[in-house]
Amino acid sequence: MKANEFVKKFGWREAQKCLPYCSKRGDFIYYKNIEVNFNELKRIVESHELVEGYGGIKKAKSDTGFPTCFGDNDFFREVTLKKALADVESCS
C-alpha cells in the first residue's frame, strides 16, 4: 500500500503512532498485515508535522511563494514547505 493511501485509511495520528512500533523488514513496515514503504510513510508524517507546526495548511499555502516570509536567503525552507504541502494534500 502507498503511504498516502495508508494515511487516508488510518489517519495521521495512527501513522504517527505506528512508525516506532511497526515491524520493519527491509524498507517496508507491516501494520495490521498491510505492507507500507517505511521511508515514504516517515516522509509523509514528517511533512504533516512540518505543515501543522507552521500553523496549518491554510497558513502554509498563503506564505509559499514569498521567500521574504522565511527570512534572509532561506529558499530551501520554502521548497521543503512546498513539498510538505504536496505530501499532505496527497493524503486528503
Side-chain angles (χ1 to χ4, degrees):
M1 174 182 282
K2 290 186 175 187
N4 60 342
E5 293 171 1
F6 181 89
V7 173
K8 285 179 188 179
K9 182 173 183 170
F10 295 106
W12 289 110
R13 298 288 176 233
E14 198 66 23
Q16 286 174 315
K17 286 192 305 188
C18 87
L19 276 178
Y21 303 107
C22 288
S23 167
K24 185 177 178 188
R25 296 183 195 143
D27 290 335
F28 292 92
I29 59 173
Y30 297 87
Y31 180 78
K32 297 185 179 183
N33 294 326
I34 296 172
E35 182 181 80
V36 182
N37 182 291
F38 176 78
N39 294 324
E40 189 179 314
L41 185 60
K42 183 178 179 197
R43 187 195 78 237
I44 286 183
V45 167
E46 289 172 349
S47 292
H48 173 71
E49 291 170 348
L50 176 68
V51 170
E52 286 302 307
Y54 193 80
I57 197 163
K58 276 183 141 178
K59 178 157 179 24
K61 274 184 164 182
S62 69
D63 284 354
T64 55
F66 301 101
T68 56
C69 298
F70 299 103
D72 294 336
N73 205 13
D74 210 349
F75 172 76
F76 294 108
R77 186 180 300 168
E78 182 182 16
V79 170
T80 302
L81 183 59
K82 284 182 179 181
K83 288 179 181 179
L85 280 167
D87 283 342
V88 170
E89 289 177 332
S90 77
C91 297
S92 299

